[in-house]
Amino acid sequence: MKTYAYGFPRLGENREYKKAIETFWEGEGSEEGLNHTLHELQANMLQIYASAVNVFPVGEMTAYDPMLDTAVMLGVYKPKNLQEYYELCRGAGALEMTKWFNTNYHYLVSDFSAVKSPSFELHWNKPQQYRERFGKGIPYVIGPFTFLKLSKGLSKTQFKSALEDLTGVYRSLFTSLQEVHVDEPALVLELFSDEIEGVKKAYEILGQSAKVHLFTYYEQVDFLKQLYDLPVASLGLDFVHGIKNLQTIKKYGFPKDKTLIAGVVDGRNIWKNDIRHSVETLKALSRQAKSIWVSNAGPLFHLPITTEGEHLDSRLMGNLAFAKQKLQEIGTIAACAQGRQKVKVPSDSGVRVLGQNKKVQTRIKTLTTKDFKKLVPLAKRRAIQDKILHLPSFPTTTIGSFPQTPEVRKYRADYRAGRITEQEYNAFVQREIRQLMKFQEEQGLDVPVHGEFERTDMVEFFAEQLDGVATTANGWIISYGTRAYRPPIIFGDISRPRPMTVKEIVYAQSLTNKPVKGMLTGAVTIIAWSFVREDIPIKDVAYQISLALRDEIHDYEKAGIKIVQVDEPAIRERAPIKRGDWPKYFDWAIKSFRLATNTAPETQIHTHMCYSEFGEIIKQIDAMDFDVISIESTRSRGDIIKNFERIDFKKQIGLGVWDIHSPAIPTVEQMKQVAQRALRVIPKRNFWINPDCGLKTRGWPETEASLKNLVTLASQLRHQK
Ligand code: GLN
Ligand code: ZN
């Protein structure tokens, strides 16, 4: 029984990755310098692997994104140097970015929509280069099926011929490599039978051109048995998030000619492995498979690098395993499974002791259907709210945040580091709010916001204030490119010791007669961007957060706030990979939103969503029973409107008319086009005018110019007959 590990985080313990690349972007480092750091990071990674497991891949390192590297390897894009490579990542003609499976990692999407018949060649033999340079490890590639499946703009027939074409390119690549680690996570998606046939045909050929270790993860492979006849050397399967893989193998056995690479150590969550459970899984597998390697279940880059250096409560620390600790676990499990080491049953349930809150538990237990259902129906609420709010038709608003200038960030950092006092900091935030309120008044926005200057991140900000949630000092993970964030750890029962946002919102309201919109992050999004405890059902975690949010909204109401927005941008992304699991997920996701916003009918409840395919979940969104939704639409401009055509959507909606991810200033005409197309489907009286998303990444000049146009658009629409 060997041990194998892959997908170790590339960020570096001190985020050397980020620093080196960003220095290069700033024009301060050379291409050689950057390559040198990347190679160092790769060497480091290999050393970490080698100290913990027997076998591992080489060539996982990338200057930005492994999916883009695959595209370059195959000649889809041909940047001549790193400068040109980064043009594809973040230049004017940058590729679209989208979520990688159901994770919060974003990859760059290869786009074939302008290509009649895509053709490929081995343009860059990256795996070969890495193997030669480092002299150890199995060359790593992303497989042809996953690459194509996650690209865009290919018709069904194009896909089929592209896969055949690619098989040829991969064959010569594999022949030169002799042994290869191939990632094919797309095999866990719900595929059509002709896609499955395509996969089989490809690997029928590829399996014979090298020793192929074929990896799947994040879920089970629904057609696993059909892979049994392929001539590959081993199959990597996820036994943590793909429980059914185990059932399939128990039922049908496992081919004698293959190694089973058993992913038993969770690559998605930070809790210590239940060694006894993993050993049992391995024992069950050994009855069927002749050769087994113990491995992680899915790449480890969704985890921070190490728990060393964190100063969390010792009982919590005792339950954590980040990427490095997971590598150790792989070794321990293999040793225990072979009887070389005794299984140590963890003595503590420390986390549970640490996180208990009886009051919260009782609140959850005593929830009834009434908590999840508003007493006053939508139309009646509308009538009540209209009388209170007196908004014009086509009301204008923004999504919440305003430009986070270097000054804002500096003040926040200074406060965190104790360089300025709480009073100084609060005075600064108040000053920012004051200026913003004046700005919005001058611009003529109908529903102003306070600007979110006090928030680093829409999840971390709440995590820091909630009991039962911990935040780390150095637990960074990459969300895309060099962008990293620190997911909070939900370890116990969640409660709100004191109001979290009321002070700022109420201050903003005190400066205007217009209704200020209070800003909260919803439970699903907090869960999606955190590491979550697994000892109680996820729905209970969501309801706990929602109760805290409901209390917050009650405090708003008492202080005279009339509009509240609960952001849920992650609602689509958190949905399970398999559609069969959707009903259960959406049940708690929808209910948790309803629970949080089950407040007085006088309070207008907004939500906001962005950057996902919402078309397929419009019905679920509708069931959330808010009053107003603002939704991003640049991604699928026409499509999303078509989806609203399909259902009788009665709620108010603001379809983003300004793509805030671009510094370009939209003209009144451009925004009008978006609005008018939408107005064919959505009644005028239900239509709001707003940007796509928050403005925190924008600069002030374009914010001012764009909002001016946005307000002009609203006034033109009002006067149009
Ligand atoms: N209210 C948040 C903001 O404006 C929403 C961000 C988001 O949708 N990701 O920044
Ligand atoms: Zn958004």
Side-chain angles (χ1 to χ4, degrees):
M1 201 177 263
K2 283 190 180 170
T3 50
Y4 191 86
Y6 62 95
F8 195 83
R10 56 181 173 267
L11 194 52
E13 264 176 55
N14 298 305
R15 285 181 291 155
E16 292 86 349
Y17 182 78
K18 179 185 178 71
K19 286 166 200 159
I21 296 173
E22 290 178 358
T23 307
F24 178 76
W25 289 345
E26 278 150 26
E28 274 156 38
S30 66
E31 178 152 348
E32 295 81 71
L34 176 51
N35 277 327
H36 180 76
T37 307
L38 295 177
H39 290 147
E40 252 176 18
L41 285 164
Q42 169 72 84
N44 226 324
M45 192 190 286
L46 295 176
Q47 210 173 7
I48 293 169
Y49 281 140
S51 70
V53 295
N54 308 127
V55 198
F56 45 84
V58 65
E60 296 173 291
M61 189 47 64
T62 169
Y64 196 90
D65 171 47
M67 280 292 275
L68 176 61
D69 289 3
T70 309
V72 177
M73 176 179 89
L74 301 171
V76 179
Y77 304 101
K78 295 179 180 173
K80 284 199 250 350
N81 49 37
L82 272 180
Q83 203 76 46
E84 286 187 26
Y85 175 91
Y86 286 125
E87 277 294 307
L88 293 164
C89 306
R90 53 199 294 276
L95 304 184
E96 187 184 293
M97 210 164 56
T98 216
K99 301 234 156 131
W100 172 251
F101 297 87
N102 61 345
T103 77
N104 196 24
Y105 177 73
H106 304 64
Y107 70 97
L108 291 169
V109 186
S110 292
D111 185 359
F112 294 99
S113 33
V115 191
K116 232 194 183 147
S117 51
S119 68
F120 306 93
E121 61 181 301
L122 187 56
H123 174 70
W124 174 33
N125 198 334
K126 179 185 170 190
Q128 175 97 313
Q129 278 178 9
Y130 268 84
R131 190 184 48 189
E132 275 167 15
R133 175 176 288 269
F134 295 95
K136 55 176 160 236
I138 300 176
Y140 168 87
V141 292
I142 292 175
F145 182 74
T146 297
F147 173 71
L148 286 179
K149 183 75 183 162
L150 269 49
S151 297
K152 71 172 204 178
L154 287 170
S155 71
K156 250 186 146 171
T157 29
Q158 281 175 322
F159 186 95
K160 194 164 171 267
S161 68
L163 185 57
E164 283 168 11
D165 206 16
L166 265 191
T167 304
V169 178
Y170 272 83
R171 177 161 65 175
S172 54
L173 171 68
F174 283 16
T175 310
S176 73
L177 296 172
Q178 289 167 22
E179 184 173 10
V180 61
H181 169 132
V182 191
D183 261 1
E184 283 283 19
L187 298 188
V188 309
L189 299 175
E190 291 165 311
L191 303 178
F192 294 111
S193 56
D194 49 345
E195 288 175 317
I196 298 173
E197 286 315 311
V199 170
K200 280 163 49 182
K201 234 170 110 187
Y203 281 92
E204 199 60 61
I205 296 167
L206 296 179
Q208 294 177 43
S209 45
K211 189 169 179 190
V212 172
H213 307 284
L214 183 61
F215 284 81
T216 68
Y217 43 81
Y218 298 142
E219 267 289 354
Q220 69 261 5
V221 182
D222 294 335
F223 52 97
L224 177 57
K225 198 170 163 282
Q226 296 194 53
L227 298 181
Y228 281 6
D229 298 330
L230 296 178
V232 297
S234 38
L235 273 177
L237 300 173
D238 185 330
F239 293 101
V240 176
H241 298 276
I243 314 289
K244 287 197 190 122
N245 281 332
L246 180 61
Q247 290 163 14
T248 308
I249 291 175
K250 279 184 177 166
K251 196 164 160 197
Y252 298 107
F254 193 80
K256 299 272 170 291
D257 65 332
K258 289 184 191 18
T259 295
L260 172 58
I261 304 183
V264 290
V265 171
D266 194 355
R268 298 285 291 270
N269 215 341
I270 40 80
W271 307 110
K272 269 193 179 163
N273 188 276
D274 178 345
I275 305 279
R276 200 166 39 171
H277 175 75
S278 295
V279 169
E280 268 162 29
T281 305
L282 287 175
K283 283 211 174 114
L285 291 172
S286 313
R287 273 175 227 125
Q288 311 291 344
K290 260 176 63 189
S291 160
I292 293 183
W293 292 2
V294 184
S295 178
N296 44 303
L300 297 170
F301 69 79
H302 304 296
L303 307 172
I305 295 181
T306 178
T307 57
E308 290 158 285
E310 293 294 343
H311 298 288
L312 298 160
D313 186 296
S314 63
R315 286 168 296 177
L316 175 56
M317 278 295 268
N319 281 275
L320 298 180
F322 294 174
K324 266 193 173 176
Q325 288 74 39
K326 299 269 178 187
L327 290 182
Q328 298 303 328
E329 290 181 340
I330 294 172
T332 307
I333 293 167
C336 291
Q338 292 167 295
R340 282 187 281 121
Q341 200 174 311
K342 264 196 117 131
V343 180
K344 259 199 264 144
V345 182
S347 56
D348 67 339
S349 48
V351 171
R352 256 155 265 176
V353 177
L354 183 65
Q356 293 272 349
N357 183 329
K358 281 272 163 330
K359 237 165 101 185
V360 176
Q361 290 169 7
T362 312
R363 276 185 93 181
I364 295 295
K365 278 199 204 103
T366 50
L367 288 173
T368 65
T369 43
K370 272 201 223 129
D371 287 289
F372 300 104
K373 194 167 172 3
K374 285 191 170 158
L375 277 177
V376 182
L378 180 74
K380 266 220 182 108
R381 297 202 301 267
R382 172 85 193 251
I384 299 172
Q385 291 162 13
D386 279 355
K387 268 196 204 121
I388 298 171
L389 297 172
H390 306 293
L391 292 171
S393 58
F394 301 105
T396 51
T397 191
T398 59
I399 307 307
S401 59
F402 270 78
Q404 299 231 333
T405 56
E407 193 194 12
V408 171
R409 272 178 271 145
K410 184 169 183 314
Y411 262 94
R412 255 194 337 245
D414 282 350
Y415 173 53
R416 278 164 176 267
R419 287 188 290 265
I420 57 171
T421 66
E422 189 171 340
Q423 272 132 330
E424 285 170 303
Y425 177 68
N426 285 341
F428 167 74
V429 172
Q430 286 207 347
R431 194 193 80 196
E432 289 297 303
I433 294 177
R434 234 171 14 247
Q435 287 170 357
L436 180 65
M437 295 313 288
K438 190 161 166 269
F439 171 81
Q440 293 176 96
E441 193 83 46
E442 285 162 4
Q443 294 273 326
L445 285 156
D446 302 309
V447 175
V449 295
H450 79 293
E452 301 182 23
F453 301 109
E454 76 287 11
R455 306 183 189 179
T456 27
D457 169 291
M458 63 188 291
V459 167
E460 193 175 60
F461 176 78
F462 288 92
E464 280 172 349
Q465 305 199 54
L466 288 165
D467 278 353
V469 189
T471 49
T472 65
N474 206 23
W476 299 98
I477 66 173
I478 290 182
S479 131
Y480 63 87
T482 60
R483 174 71 151 248
Y485 71 111
R486 285 172 300 188
I489 299 172
I490 300 177
F491 63 88
D493 294 327
I494 297 169
S495 63
R496 181 192 77 138
R498 63 192 70 83
M500 303 179 283
T501 61
V502 177
K503 186 173 75 212
E504 288 83 9
I505 308 288
V506 169
Y507 180 66
Q509 184 65 81
S510 75
L511 303 170
T512 177
N513 293 323
K514 292 184 173 166
V516 170
K517 181 163 68 167
M519 267 312 139
L520 301 170
T521 302
V524 178
T525 299
I526 291 182
I527 285 177
W529 298 345
S530 301
F531 295 118
V532 185
R533 64 192 288 202
E534 292 170 338
D535 59 315
I536 65 168
I538 188 108
K539 73 170 181 9
D540 288 347
V541 179
Y543 298 164
Q544 291 184 358
I545 300 171
S546 289
L547 283 173
L549 295 175
R550 192 170 79 179
D551 294 346
E552 186 81 359
I553 299 178
H554 280 154
D555 282 342
Y556 281 164
E557 287 170 337
K558 275 187 258 164
I561 302 302
K562 301 182 176 72
I563 304 184
V564 181
Q565 177 173 308
V566 180
D567 289 325
E568 280 293 19
I571 193 129
R572 171 66 186 86
E573 143 200 343
R574 186 62 179 66
I577 289 177
K578 313 275 188 192
R579 302 285 150 131
D581 300 329
W582 276 26
K584 199 170 159 204
Y585 161 72
F586 278 109
D587 185 66
W588 68 256
I590 293 166
K591 274 195 188 149
S592 73
F593 186 88
R594 286 171 162 237
L595 178 61
T597 57
N598 199 351
T599 55
E602 288 80 8
T603 307
Q604 186 174 71
I605 298 293
H606 290 223
T607 188
H608 164 71
M609 294 175 193
C610 50
Y611 304 102
S612 297
E613 292 294 331
F614 291 114
E616 46 187 3
I617 62 162
I618 295 275
K619 279 221 170 84
Q620 288 87 338
I621 292 176
D622 198 28
M624 289 162 66
D625 204 17
F626 43 78
D627 299 298
V628 185
I629 182 168
S630 61
I631 196 160
E632 166 269 340
S633 73
T634 33
R635 266 297 166 82
S636 48
R637 194 140 273 171
D639 301 355
I640 195 157
I641 297 163
K642 261 188 245 135
N643 285 299
F644 281 103
E645 239 161 28
R646 285 190 295 126
I647 72 160
D648 186 17
F649 196 77
K650 293 217 158 52
K651 301 182 169 77
Q652 299 177 66
I653 177 168
L655 211 56
V657 291
W658 161 23
D659 173 11
I660 62 90
H661 278 78
S662 148
I665 298 161
T667 64
V668 178
E669 267 321 301
Q670 282 165 341
M671 289 193 279
K672 194 184 267 176
Q673 273 172 22
V674 183
Q676 273 168 343
R677 183 154 358 134
L679 282 167
R680 281 185 231 141
V681 179
I682 294 154
K684 278 186 188 164
R685 67 183 293 267
N686 288 348
F687 203 69
W688 285 62
I689 303 291
N690 51 256
D692 257 353
C693 192
L695 304 173
K696 71 166 166 240
T697 55
R698 291 272 56 89
W700 271 111
E702 70 260 25
T703 296
E704 182 166 0
S706 305
L707 283 178
K708 189 171 255 128
N709 291 347
L710 186 142
V711 171
T712 306
L713 166 68
S715 100
Q716 287 186 7
L717 289 171
R718 276 168 208 157
H719 294 106
Q720 220 168 53
K721 277 284 140 253

